[in-house]
Amino acid sequence: MQPKLRFTKIWQDEDMVELRVEACDGTSMFSNKVYVGHHSLRETVIDLHRFKDHIYGGLYDLRFGEFGPEYGSGALSARLHFHDRGKLLVSIAMQSEYSDFGKKNVASEANLFLISEPALLDNFIQSLRAVSEGHQNDAQLDGIDSPWTWD
């Protein structure tokens, strides 16, 4: 499996977009759905465009949806961190929508980690901008192969 963080637009109205989020670290994969306001999606594109130039230790926290049973749909938190030698480390926490499981109300959760590169981030930002503007339905941040083999 190819490491990636992928957003696919599955629904929208005048206020919000529903995205399917897929994260893969090369071995494990997790998928959920999150709601994002159109304004928040546009702001994310602007913020990522600024962040891409902070290649010497820059940090950016991408957050869609909210964690916890009080909120609708799922949640995503992805911390992007430029590391030594031009690598972009991405730490991902995801939670599905809560649902009844016997007498409990539960949500599936995952923590995944992938490594990407600045050029791949540029491609992702362009694709996310196209999603935000309604020109395409998906955006993907590709990871590099065999992420755990570098020093």
Side-chain angles (χ1 to χ4, degrees), residues 4-7 21-23 44 48 51 59-65 67 75-81 88-95 110-114 124 141:
K4 67 181 175 186
L5 178 61
R6 180 181 180 94
F7 300 120
V21 180
E22 298 171 30
T44 298
L48 283 169
F51 165 72
L59 288 172
Y60 178 73
D61 289 320
L62 187 156
R63 190 168 179 117
F64 289 156
F67 290 81
L76 163 77
S77 175
R79 170 162 276 190
L80 289 73
H81 175 219
L88 176 64
L89 305 182
V90 185
S91 304
I92 303 164
M94 297 171 67
Q95 184 180 73
N111 291 301
L112 298 169
F113 306 90
L114 67 95
F124 173 66
L141 174 61

PDB file of all heavy atoms in Angstrom, residues 4-7 21-23 44 48 51 59-65 67 75-81 88-95 110-114 124 141:
ATOM      1  N   LYS A   4      -0.321   7.605   2.237  1.00  0.00           N
ATOM      2  CA  LYS A   4      -1.049   8.761   1.708  1.00  0.00           C
ATOM      3  C   LYS A   4      -2.009   9.314   2.747  1.00  0.00           C
ATOM      4  O   LYS A   4      -2.372   8.628   3.701  1.00  0.00           O
ATOM      5  CB  LYS A   4      -1.847   8.375   0.471  1.00  0.00           C
ATOM      6  CG  LYS A   4      -2.987   7.404   0.784  1.00  0.00           C
ATOM      7  CD  LYS A   4      -3.752   7.010  -0.452  1.00  0.00           C
ATOM      8  CE  LYS A   4      -4.785   5.942  -0.085  1.00  0.00           C
ATOM      9  NZ  LYS A   4      -5.459   5.426  -1.258  1.00  0.00           N
ATOM     10  N   LEU A   5      -2.420  10.546   2.516  1.00  0.00           N
ATOM     11  CA  LEU A   5      -3.540  11.171   3.201  1.00  0.00           C
ATOM     12  C   LEU A   5      -4.418  11.721   2.086  1.00  0.00           C
ATOM     13  O   LEU A   5      -3.989  12.592   1.332  1.00  0.00           O
ATOM     14  CB  LEU A   5      -3.072  12.288   4.134  1.00  0.00           C
ATOM     15  CG  LEU A   5      -4.163  13.060   4.873  1.00  0.00           C
ATOM     16  CD1 LEU A   5      -4.984  12.130   5.772  1.00  0.00           C
ATOM     17  CD2 LEU A   5      -3.557  14.195   5.689  1.00  0.00           C
ATOM     18  N   ARG A   6      -5.627  11.198   1.968  1.00  0.00           N
ATOM     19  CA  ARG A   6      -6.497  11.534   0.835  1.00  0.00           C
ATOM     20  C   ARG A   6      -7.837  12.064   1.313  1.00  0.00           C
ATOM     21  O   ARG A   6      -8.442  11.511   2.231  1.00  0.00           O
ATOM     22  CB  ARG A   6      -6.712  10.291  -0.023  1.00  0.00           C
ATOM     23  CG  ARG A   6      -7.595  10.505  -1.224  1.00  0.00           C
ATOM     24  CD  ARG A   6      -7.763   9.188  -1.992  1.00  0.00           C
ATOM     25  NE  ARG A   6      -8.589   9.340  -3.137  1.00  0.00           N
ATOM     26  CZ  ARG A   6      -8.160   9.588  -4.367  1.00  0.00           C
ATOM     27  NH1 ARG A   6      -6.861   9.709  -4.593  1.00  0.00           N
ATOM     28  NH2 ARG A   6      -8.993   9.708  -5.374  1.00  0.00           N
ATOM     29  N   PHE A   7      -8.289  13.157   0.672  1.00  0.00           N
ATOM     30  CA  PHE A   7      -9.598  13.741   0.920  1.00  0.00           C
ATOM     31  C   PHE A   7     -10.440  13.597  -0.336  1.00  0.00           C
ATOM     32  O   PHE A   7      -9.994  13.962  -1.422  1.00  0.00           O
ATOM     33  CB  PHE A   7      -9.502  15.232   1.254  1.00  0.00           C
ATOM     34  CG  PHE A   7      -8.676  15.540   2.470  1.00  0.00           C
ATOM     35  CD1 PHE A   7      -7.560  16.346   2.376  1.00  0.00           C
ATOM     36  CD2 PHE A   7      -9.024  15.033   3.702  1.00  0.00           C
ATOM     37  CE1 PHE A   7      -6.806  16.642   3.489  1.00  0.00           C
ATOM     38  CE2 PHE A   7      -8.279  15.323   4.823  1.00  0.00           C
ATOM     39  CZ  PHE A   7      -7.163  16.129   4.716  1.00  0.00           C
ATOM     40  N   VAL A  21     -12.051  10.874   4.425  1.00  0.00           N
ATOM     41  CA  VAL A  21     -10.622  10.974   4.680  1.00  0.00           C
ATOM     42  C   VAL A  21     -10.061   9.564   4.748  1.00  0.00           C
ATOM     43  O   VAL A  21     -10.578   8.727   5.494  1.00  0.00           O
ATOM     44  CB  VAL A  21     -10.326  11.716   6.006  1.00  0.00           C
ATOM     45  CG1 VAL A  21      -8.836  11.810   6.250  1.00  0.00           C
ATOM     46  CG2 VAL A  21     -10.977  13.087   6.014  1.00  0.00           C
ATOM     47  N   GLU A  22      -9.021   9.312   3.979  1.00  0.00           N
ATOM     48  CA  GLU A  22      -8.326   8.029   4.025  1.00  0.00           C
ATOM     49  C   GLU A  22      -6.875   8.299   4.374  1.00  0.00           C
ATOM     50  O   GLU A  22      -6.245   9.157   3.770  1.00  0.00           O
ATOM     51  CB  GLU A  22      -8.374   7.333   2.666  1.00  0.00           C
ATOM     52  CG  GLU A  22      -9.764   6.988   2.195  1.00  0.00           C
ATOM     53  CD  GLU A  22      -9.748   6.495   0.756  1.00  0.00           C
ATOM     54  OE1 GLU A  22      -8.748   5.896   0.321  1.00  0.00           O
ATOM     55  OE2 GLU A  22     -10.740   6.751   0.063  1.00  0.00           O
ATOM     56  N   ALA A  23      -6.373   7.575   5.360  1.00  0.00           N
ATOM     57  CA  ALA A  23      -4.974   7.693   5.744  1.00  0.00           C
ATOM     58  C   ALA A  23      -4.343   6.308   5.689  1.00  0.00           C
ATOM     59  O   ALA A  23      -4.951   5.326   6.125  1.00  0.00           O
ATOM     60  CB  ALA A  23      -4.833   8.276   7.143  1.00  0.00           C
ATOM     61  N   THR A  44      -7.677  26.694   5.137  1.00  0.00           N
ATOM     62  CA  THR A  44      -6.677  25.622   5.224  1.00  0.00           C
ATOM     63  C   THR A  44      -5.728  25.690   4.043  1.00  0.00           C
ATOM     64  O   THR A  44      -4.514  25.547   4.195  1.00  0.00           O
ATOM     65  CB  THR A  44      -7.368  24.247   5.298  1.00  0.00           C
ATOM     66  OG1 THR A  44      -8.160  24.194   6.484  1.00  0.00           O
ATOM     67  CG2 THR A  44      -6.357  23.113   5.305  1.00  0.00           C
ATOM     68  N   LEU A  48      -1.784  26.317   4.474  1.00  0.00           N
ATOM     69  CA  LEU A  48      -0.814  25.342   3.957  1.00  0.00           C
ATOM     70  C   LEU A  48       0.145  25.985   2.966  1.00  0.00           C
ATOM     71  O   LEU A  48       1.329  25.651   2.927  1.00  0.00           O
ATOM     72  CB  LEU A  48      -1.533  24.161   3.305  1.00  0.00           C
ATOM     73  CG  LEU A  48      -2.135  23.145   4.258  1.00  0.00           C
ATOM     74  CD1 LEU A  48      -3.042  22.167   3.488  1.00  0.00           C
ATOM     75  CD2 LEU A  48      -1.047  22.380   5.001  1.00  0.00           C
ATOM     76  N   PHE A  51       2.632  27.670   5.061  1.00  0.00           N
ATOM     77  CA  PHE A  51       3.448  26.687   5.778  1.00  0.00           C
ATOM     78  C   PHE A  51       4.514  26.053   4.892  1.00  0.00           C
ATOM     79  O   PHE A  51       5.616  25.765   5.348  1.00  0.00           O
ATOM     80  CB  PHE A  51       2.537  25.595   6.356  1.00  0.00           C
ATOM     81  CG  PHE A  51       3.258  24.366   6.802  1.00  0.00           C
ATOM     82  CD1 PHE A  51       4.039  24.376   7.949  1.00  0.00           C
ATOM     83  CD2 PHE A  51       3.184  23.188   6.070  1.00  0.00           C
ATOM     84  CE1 PHE A  51       4.715  23.240   8.369  1.00  0.00           C
ATOM     85  CE2 PHE A  51       3.853  22.049   6.477  1.00  0.00           C
ATOM     86  CZ  PHE A  51       4.626  22.078   7.635  1.00  0.00           C
ATOM     87  N   LEU A  59       5.892  23.828  11.704  1.00  0.00           N
ATOM     88  CA  LEU A  59       4.791  22.974  12.177  1.00  0.00           C
ATOM     89  C   LEU A  59       3.470  23.537  11.678  1.00  0.00           C
ATOM     90  O   LEU A  59       3.277  24.751  11.649  1.00  0.00           O
ATOM     91  CB  LEU A  59       4.722  22.955  13.702  1.00  0.00           C
ATOM     92  CG  LEU A  59       5.792  22.208  14.469  1.00  0.00           C
ATOM     93  CD1 LEU A  59       5.646  22.483  15.954  1.00  0.00           C
ATOM     94  CD2 LEU A  59       5.704  20.728  14.208  1.00  0.00           C
ATOM     95  N   TYR A  60       2.557  22.635  11.307  1.00  0.00           N
ATOM     96  CA  TYR A  60       1.204  23.047  10.951  1.00  0.00           C
ATOM     97  C   TYR A  60       0.233  21.980  11.433  1.00  0.00           C
ATOM     98  O   TYR A  60       0.440  20.790  11.184  1.00  0.00           O
ATOM     99  CB  TYR A  60       1.054  23.237   9.438  1.00  0.00           C
ATOM    100  CG  TYR A  60      -0.353  23.628   9.053  1.00  0.00           C
ATOM    101  CD1 TYR A  60      -0.824  24.906   9.311  1.00  0.00           C
ATOM    102  CD2 TYR A  60      -1.219  22.700   8.494  1.00  0.00           C
ATOM    103  CE1 TYR A  60      -2.127  25.263   8.992  1.00  0.00           C
ATOM    104  CE2 TYR A  60      -2.515  23.044   8.178  1.00  0.00           C
ATOM    105  CZ  TYR A  60      -2.964  24.329   8.428  1.00  0.00           C
ATOM    106  OH  TYR A  60      -4.254  24.670   8.115  1.00  0.00           O
ATOM    107  N   ASP A  61      -0.816  22.411  12.127  1.00  0.00           N
ATOM    108  CA  ASP A  61      -1.847  21.497  12.606  1.00  0.00           C
ATOM    109  C   ASP A  61      -3.094  21.656  11.751  1.00  0.00           C
ATOM    110  O   ASP A  61      -3.731  22.711  11.766  1.00  0.00           O
ATOM    111  CB  ASP A  61      -2.183  21.765  14.071  1.00  0.00           C
ATOM    112  CG  ASP A  61      -1.068  21.343  15.006  1.00  0.00           C
ATOM    113  OD1 ASP A  61      -0.469  20.282  14.769  1.00  0.00           O
ATOM    114  OD2 ASP A  61      -0.781  22.085  15.964  1.00  0.00           O
ATOM    115  N   LEU A  62      -3.427  20.620  11.012  1.00  0.00           N
ATOM    116  CA  LEU A  62      -4.633  20.583  10.191  1.00  0.00           C
ATOM    117  C   LEU A  62      -5.691  19.845  10.995  1.00  0.00           C
ATOM    118  O   LEU A  62      -5.442  18.741  11.477  1.00  0.00           O
ATOM    119  CB  LEU A  62      -4.321  19.850   8.886  1.00  0.00           C
ATOM    120  CG  LEU A  62      -5.398  19.846   7.813  1.00  0.00           C
ATOM    121  CD1 LEU A  62      -4.730  19.628   6.462  1.00  0.00           C
ATOM    122  CD2 LEU A  62      -6.431  18.793   8.025  1.00  0.00           C
ATOM    123  N   ARG A  63      -6.852  20.468  11.129  1.00  0.00           N
ATOM    124  CA  ARG A  63      -7.908  19.852  11.939  1.00  0.00           C
ATOM    125  C   ARG A  63      -9.245  20.032  11.240  1.00  0.00           C
ATOM    126  O   ARG A  63      -9.641  21.162  10.943  1.00  0.00           O
ATOM    127  CB  ARG A  63      -7.935  20.466  13.327  1.00  0.00           C
ATOM    128  CG  ARG A  63      -8.826  19.714  14.276  1.00  0.00           C
ATOM    129  CD  ARG A  63      -8.586  20.193  15.698  1.00  0.00           C
ATOM    130  NE  ARG A  63      -9.442  19.491  16.606  1.00  0.00           N
ATOM    131  CZ  ARG A  63      -9.003  18.707  17.569  1.00  0.00           C
ATOM    132  NH1 ARG A  63      -7.730  18.530  17.749  1.00  0.00           N
ATOM    133  NH2 ARG A  63      -9.858  18.112  18.368  1.00  0.00           N
ATOM    134  N   PHE A  64      -9.915  18.921  10.972  1.00  0.00           N
ATOM    135  CA  PHE A  64     -11.257  18.933  10.403  1.00  0.00           C
ATOM    136  C   PHE A  64     -12.156  18.124  11.319  1.00  0.00           C
ATOM    137  O   PHE A  64     -11.792  17.036  11.770  1.00  0.00           O
ATOM    138  CB  PHE A  64     -11.279  18.294   9.013  1.00  0.00           C
ATOM    139  CG  PHE A  64     -10.621  19.092   7.925  1.00  0.00           C
ATOM    140  CD1 PHE A  64     -10.145  18.459   6.795  1.00  0.00           C
ATOM    141  CD2 PHE A  64     -10.489  20.463   7.993  1.00  0.00           C
ATOM    142  CE1 PHE A  64      -9.551  19.168   5.771  1.00  0.00           C
ATOM    143  CE2 PHE A  64      -9.891  21.190   6.977  1.00  0.00           C
ATOM    144  CZ  PHE A  64      -9.425  20.534   5.860  1.00  0.00           C
ATOM    145  N   GLY A  65     -13.354  18.614  11.577  1.00  0.00           N
ATOM    146  CA  GLY A  65     -14.265  17.930  12.482  1.00  0.00           C
ATOM    147  C   GLY A  65     -13.799  18.112  13.918  1.00  0.00           C
ATOM    148  O   GLY A  65     -12.813  18.775  14.193  1.00  0.00           O
ATOM    149  N   PHE A  67     -13.388  15.915  17.806  1.00  0.00           N
ATOM    150  CA  PHE A  67     -13.348  14.639  18.502  1.00  0.00           C
ATOM    151  C   PHE A  67     -14.381  14.639  19.617  1.00  0.00           C
ATOM    152  O   PHE A  67     -14.594  15.651  20.276  1.00  0.00           O
ATOM    153  CB  PHE A  67     -11.951  14.384  19.080  1.00  0.00           C
ATOM    154  CG  PHE A  67     -10.913  14.117  18.026  1.00  0.00           C
ATOM    155  CD1 PHE A  67     -10.321  15.155  17.325  1.00  0.00           C
ATOM    156  CD2 PHE A  67     -10.542  12.821  17.730  1.00  0.00           C
ATOM    157  CE1 PHE A  67      -9.372  14.915  16.355  1.00  0.00           C
ATOM    158  CE2 PHE A  67      -9.593  12.562  16.755  1.00  0.00           C
ATOM    159  CZ  PHE A  67      -9.006  13.614  16.065  1.00  0.00           C
ATOM    160  N   ALA A  75     -13.607  12.996  12.943  1.00  0.00           N
ATOM    161  CA  ALA A  75     -12.616  14.044  13.156  1.00  0.00           C
ATOM    162  C   ALA A  75     -11.262  13.609  12.620  1.00  0.00           C
ATOM    163  O   ALA A  75     -10.938  12.417  12.569  1.00  0.00           O
ATOM    164  CB  ALA A  75     -12.511  14.363  14.637  1.00  0.00           C
ATOM    165  N   LEU A  76     -10.482  14.617  12.231  1.00  0.00           N
ATOM    166  CA  LEU A  76      -9.109  14.414  11.758  1.00  0.00           C
ATOM    167  C   LEU A  76      -8.228  15.478  12.383  1.00  0.00           C
ATOM    168  O   LEU A  76      -8.577  16.661  12.392  1.00  0.00           O
ATOM    169  CB  LEU A  76      -9.039  14.560  10.230  1.00  0.00           C
ATOM    170  CG  LEU A  76      -7.629  14.768   9.661  1.00  0.00           C
ATOM    171  CD1 LEU A  76      -6.869  13.442   9.648  1.00  0.00           C
ATOM    172  CD2 LEU A  76      -7.690  15.356   8.270  1.00  0.00           C
ATOM    173  N   SER A  77      -7.095  15.051  12.893  1.00  0.00           N
ATOM    174  CA  SER A  77      -6.047  15.959  13.333  1.00  0.00           C
ATOM    175  C   SER A  77      -4.756  15.465  12.697  1.00  0.00           C
ATOM    176  O   SER A  77      -4.369  14.307  12.898  1.00  0.00           O
ATOM    177  CB  SER A  77      -5.924  15.951  14.860  1.00  0.00           C
ATOM    178  OG  SER A  77      -4.833  16.749  15.261  1.00  0.00           O
ATOM    179  N   ALA A  78      -4.132  16.323  11.897  1.00  0.00           N
ATOM    180  CA  ALA A  78      -2.877  15.944  11.239  1.00  0.00           C
ATOM    181  C   ALA A  78      -1.839  17.019  11.522  1.00  0.00           C
ATOM    182  O   ALA A  78      -2.036  18.182  11.185  1.00  0.00           O
ATOM    183  CB  ALA A  78      -3.083  15.780   9.738  1.00  0.00           C
ATOM    184  N   ARG A  79      -0.750  16.633  12.167  1.00  0.00           N
ATOM    185  CA  ARG A  79       0.355  17.566  12.426  1.00  0.00           C
ATOM    186  C   ARG A  79       1.415  17.348  11.356  1.00  0.00           C
ATOM    187  O   ARG A  79       1.940  16.248  11.196  1.00  0.00           O
ATOM    188  CB  ARG A  79       0.957  17.353  13.797  1.00  0.00           C
ATOM    189  CG  ARG A  79       2.253  18.164  13.966  1.00  0.00           C
ATOM    190  CD  ARG A  79       2.647  18.328  15.369  1.00  0.00           C
ATOM    191  NE  ARG A  79       1.884  19.474  15.882  1.00  0.00           N
ATOM    192  CZ  ARG A  79       2.123  20.027  17.061  1.00  0.00           C
ATOM    193  NH1 ARG A  79       3.038  19.536  17.844  1.00  0.00           N
ATOM    194  NH2 ARG A  79       1.418  21.057  17.460  1.00  0.00           N
ATOM    195  N   LEU A  80       1.700  18.415  10.618  1.00  0.00           N
ATOM    196  CA  LEU A  80       2.733  18.385   9.589  1.00  0.00           C
ATOM    197  C   LEU A  80       3.959  19.071  10.157  1.00  0.00           C
ATOM    198  O   LEU A  80       3.866  20.186  10.698  1.00  0.00           O
ATOM    199  CB  LEU A  80       2.273  19.104   8.325  1.00  0.00           C
ATOM    200  CG  LEU A  80       1.195  18.395   7.495  1.00  0.00           C
ATOM    201  CD1 LEU A  80      -0.162  18.451   8.152  1.00  0.00           C
ATOM    202  CD2 LEU A  80       1.127  19.000   6.116  1.00  0.00           C
ATOM    203  N   HIS A  81       5.111  18.405  10.055  1.00  0.00           N
ATOM    204  CA  HIS A  81       6.343  18.914  10.651  1.00  0.00           C
ATOM    205  C   HIS A  81       7.498  18.687   9.691  1.00  0.00           C
ATOM    206  O   HIS A  81       7.803  17.536   9.347  1.00  0.00           O
ATOM    207  CB  HIS A  81       6.600  18.187  11.978  1.00  0.00           C
ATOM    208  CG  HIS A  81       7.895  18.535  12.622  1.00  0.00           C
ATOM    209  ND1 HIS A  81       8.671  17.605  13.251  1.00  0.00           N
ATOM    210  CD2 HIS A  81       8.555  19.710  12.743  1.00  0.00           C
ATOM    211  CE1 HIS A  81       9.768  18.183  13.725  1.00  0.00           C
ATOM    212  NE2 HIS A  81       9.705  19.457  13.432  1.00  0.00           N
ATOM    213  N   LEU A  88       8.957  15.681   5.322  1.00  0.00           N
ATOM    214  CA  LEU A  88       7.768  16.193   5.981  1.00  0.00           C
ATOM    215  C   LEU A  88       7.144  15.047   6.761  1.00  0.00           C
ATOM    216  O   LEU A  88       6.694  14.064   6.168  1.00  0.00           O
ATOM    217  CB  LEU A  88       6.774  16.734   4.941  1.00  0.00           C
ATOM    218  CG  LEU A  88       5.435  17.225   5.473  1.00  0.00           C
ATOM    219  CD1 LEU A  88       5.626  18.430   6.401  1.00  0.00           C
ATOM    220  CD2 LEU A  88       4.510  17.590   4.314  1.00  0.00           C
ATOM    221  N   LEU A  89       7.162  15.152   8.076  1.00  0.00           N
ATOM    222  CA  LEU A  89       6.565  14.136   8.929  1.00  0.00           C
ATOM    223  C   LEU A  89       5.106  14.502   9.171  1.00  0.00           C
ATOM    224  O   LEU A  89       4.788  15.649   9.490  1.00  0.00           O
ATOM    225  CB  LEU A  89       7.293  14.052  10.272  1.00  0.00           C
ATOM    226  CG  LEU A  89       8.808  13.822  10.218  1.00  0.00           C
ATOM    227  CD1 LEU A  89       9.367  13.724  11.633  1.00  0.00           C
ATOM    228  CD2 LEU A  89       9.150  12.598   9.418  1.00  0.00           C
ATOM    229  N   VAL A  90       4.214  13.530   9.018  1.00  0.00           N
ATOM    230  CA  VAL A  90       2.785  13.767   9.194  1.00  0.00           C
ATOM    231  C   VAL A  90       2.264  12.772  10.231  1.00  0.00           C
ATOM    232  O   VAL A  90       2.292  11.563  10.006  1.00  0.00           O
ATOM    233  CB  VAL A  90       2.008  13.616   7.869  1.00  0.00           C
ATOM    234  CG1 VAL A  90       0.538  13.986   8.077  1.00  0.00           C
ATOM    235  CG2 VAL A  90       2.637  14.464   6.770  1.00  0.00           C
ATOM    236  N   SER A  91       1.812  13.302  11.370  1.00  0.00           N
ATOM    237  CA  SER A  91       1.213  12.491  12.437  1.00  0.00           C
ATOM    238  C   SER A  91      -0.293  12.684  12.359  1.00  0.00           C
ATOM    239  O   SER A  91      -0.776  13.817  12.456  1.00  0.00           O
ATOM    240  CB  SER A  91       1.714  12.940  13.807  1.00  0.00           C
ATOM    241  OG  SER A  91       3.124  12.894  13.870  1.00  0.00           O
ATOM    242  N   ILE A  92      -1.022  11.593  12.216  1.00  0.00           N
ATOM    243  CA  ILE A  92      -2.450  11.655  11.946  1.00  0.00           C
ATOM    244  C   ILE A  92      -3.229  10.949  13.058  1.00  0.00           C
ATOM    245  O   ILE A  92      -2.934   9.808  13.394  1.00  0.00           O
ATOM    246  CB  ILE A  92      -2.775  10.981  10.598  1.00  0.00           C
ATOM    247  CG1 ILE A  92      -1.981  11.650   9.476  1.00  0.00           C
ATOM    248  CG2 ILE A  92      -4.272  11.006  10.317  1.00  0.00           C
ATOM    249  CD1 ILE A  92      -1.928  10.831   8.200  1.00  0.00           C
ATOM    250  N   ALA A  93      -4.227  11.647  13.604  1.00  0.00           N
ATOM    251  CA  ALA A  93      -5.184  11.040  14.532  1.00  0.00           C
ATOM    252  C   ALA A  93      -6.557  11.181  13.897  1.00  0.00           C
ATOM    253  O   ALA A  93      -6.917  12.260  13.415  1.00  0.00           O
ATOM    254  CB  ALA A  93      -5.147  11.742  15.887  1.00  0.00           C
ATOM    255  N   MET A  94      -7.308  10.081  13.897  1.00  0.00           N
ATOM    256  CA  MET A  94      -8.640  10.090  13.288  1.00  0.00           C
ATOM    257  C   MET A  94      -9.633   9.394  14.205  1.00  0.00           C
ATOM    258  O   MET A  94      -9.265   8.484  14.946  1.00  0.00           O
ATOM    259  CB  MET A  94      -8.605   9.385  11.925  1.00  0.00           C
ATOM    260  CG  MET A  94      -7.722  10.069  10.906  1.00  0.00           C
ATOM    261  SD  MET A  94      -7.477   9.114   9.393  1.00  0.00           S
ATOM    262  CE  MET A  94      -9.121   9.136   8.693  1.00  0.00           C
ATOM    263  N   GLN A  95     -10.864   9.831  14.091  1.00  0.00           N
ATOM    264  CA  GLN A  95     -11.942   9.207  14.858  1.00  0.00           C
ATOM    265  C   GLN A  95     -13.177   9.150  13.964  1.00  0.00           C
ATOM    266  O   GLN A  95     -13.500  10.121  13.278  1.00  0.00           O
ATOM    267  CB  GLN A  95     -12.240  10.038  16.099  1.00  0.00           C
ATOM    268  CG  GLN A  95     -13.279   9.454  17.025  1.00  0.00           C
ATOM    269  CD  GLN A  95     -13.504  10.361  18.225  1.00  0.00           C
ATOM    270  OE1 GLN A  95     -14.114  11.420  18.108  1.00  0.00           O
ATOM    271  NE2 GLN A  95     -12.976   9.943  19.378  1.00  0.00           N
ATOM    272  N   ALA A 110      -7.803   5.836  15.133  1.00  0.00           N
ATOM    273  CA  ALA A 110      -6.512   5.382  14.625  1.00  0.00           C
ATOM    274  C   ALA A 110      -5.494   6.504  14.729  1.00  0.00           C
ATOM    275  O   ALA A 110      -5.841   7.688  14.630  1.00  0.00           O
ATOM    276  CB  ALA A 110      -6.643   4.939  13.173  1.00  0.00           C
ATOM    277  N   ASN A 111      -4.248   6.127  14.933  1.00  0.00           N
ATOM    278  CA  ASN A 111      -3.101   7.033  14.862  1.00  0.00           C
ATOM    279  C   ASN A 111      -2.156   6.453  13.821  1.00  0.00           C
ATOM    280  O   ASN A 111      -1.715   5.308  13.953  1.00  0.00           O
ATOM    281  CB  ASN A 111      -2.386   7.133  16.217  1.00  0.00           C
ATOM    282  CG  ASN A 111      -3.230   7.840  17.242  1.00  0.00           C
ATOM    283  OD1 ASN A 111      -3.606   8.987  17.050  1.00  0.00           O
ATOM    284  ND2 ASN A 111      -3.552   7.151  18.315  1.00  0.00           N
ATOM    285  N   LEU A 112      -1.876   7.228  12.798  1.00  0.00           N
ATOM    286  CA  LEU A 112      -1.008   6.777  11.716  1.00  0.00           C
ATOM    287  C   LEU A 112       0.063   7.826  11.469  1.00  0.00           C
ATOM    288  O   LEU A 112      -0.119   9.004  11.772  1.00  0.00           O
ATOM    289  CB  LEU A 112      -1.821   6.549  10.434  1.00  0.00           C
ATOM    290  CG  LEU A 112      -2.908   5.479  10.530  1.00  0.00           C
ATOM    291  CD1 LEU A 112      -3.818   5.537   9.315  1.00  0.00           C
ATOM    292  CD2 LEU A 112      -2.283   4.104  10.641  1.00  0.00           C
ATOM    293  N   PHE A 113       1.164   7.389  10.876  1.00  0.00           N
ATOM    294  CA  PHE A 113       2.305   8.273  10.647  1.00  0.00           C
ATOM    295  C   PHE A 113       2.826   8.022   9.241  1.00  0.00           C
ATOM    296  O   PHE A 113       2.988   6.870   8.827  1.00  0.00           O
ATOM    297  CB  PHE A 113       3.398   7.987  11.683  1.00  0.00           C
ATOM    298  CG  PHE A 113       2.883   8.068  13.091  1.00  0.00           C
ATOM    299  CD1 PHE A 113       2.374   6.934  13.727  1.00  0.00           C
ATOM    300  CD2 PHE A 113       2.866   9.273  13.768  1.00  0.00           C
ATOM    301  CE1 PHE A 113       1.874   7.009  15.015  1.00  0.00           C
ATOM    302  CE2 PHE A 113       2.360   9.352  15.056  1.00  0.00           C
ATOM    303  CZ  PHE A 113       1.871   8.217  15.683  1.00  0.00           C
ATOM    304  N   LEU A 114       3.066   9.105   8.520  1.00  0.00           N
ATOM    305  CA  LEU A 114       3.654   8.953   7.196  1.00  0.00           C
ATOM    306  C   LEU A 114       4.681  10.043   6.961  1.00  0.00           C
ATOM    307  O   LEU A 114       4.696  11.059   7.648  1.00  0.00           O
ATOM    308  CB  LEU A 114       2.581   8.933   6.095  1.00  0.00           C
ATOM    309  CG  LEU A 114       1.776  10.176   5.805  1.00  0.00           C
ATOM    310  CD1 LEU A 114       2.403  10.966   4.666  1.00  0.00           C
ATOM    311  CD2 LEU A 114       0.369   9.771   5.403  1.00  0.00           C
ATOM    312  N   PHE A 124      -0.293  18.517  -3.266  1.00  0.00           N
ATOM    313  CA  PHE A 124      -1.463  18.386  -2.403  1.00  0.00           C
ATOM    314  C   PHE A 124      -2.184  19.727  -2.248  1.00  0.00           C
ATOM    315  O   PHE A 124      -3.409  19.803  -2.346  1.00  0.00           O
ATOM    316  CB  PHE A 124      -1.043  17.831  -1.041  1.00  0.00           C
ATOM    317  CG  PHE A 124      -2.143  17.804  -0.018  1.00  0.00           C
ATOM    318  CD1 PHE A 124      -3.239  16.985  -0.181  1.00  0.00           C
ATOM    319  CD2 PHE A 124      -2.062  18.597   1.118  1.00  0.00           C
ATOM    320  CE1 PHE A 124      -4.259  16.951   0.772  1.00  0.00           C
ATOM    321  CE2 PHE A 124      -3.067  18.573   2.067  1.00  0.00           C
ATOM    322  CZ  PHE A 124      -4.167  17.743   1.893  1.00  0.00           C
ATOM    323  N   LEU A 141      -2.181  13.814  -0.401  1.00  0.00           N
ATOM    324  CA  LEU A 141      -0.787  14.018  -0.024  1.00  0.00           C
ATOM    325  C   LEU A 141      -0.129  12.654  -0.065  1.00  0.00           C
ATOM    326  O   LEU A 141      -0.436  11.788   0.760  1.00  0.00           O
ATOM    327  CB  LEU A 141      -0.677  14.627   1.374  1.00  0.00           C
ATOM    328  CG  LEU A 141       0.739  14.761   1.930  1.00  0.00           C
ATOM    329  CD1 LEU A 141       1.591  15.669   1.048  1.00  0.00           C
ATOM    330  CD2 LEU A 141       0.698  15.282   3.361  1.00  0.00           C
TER     331      LEU A 141
END
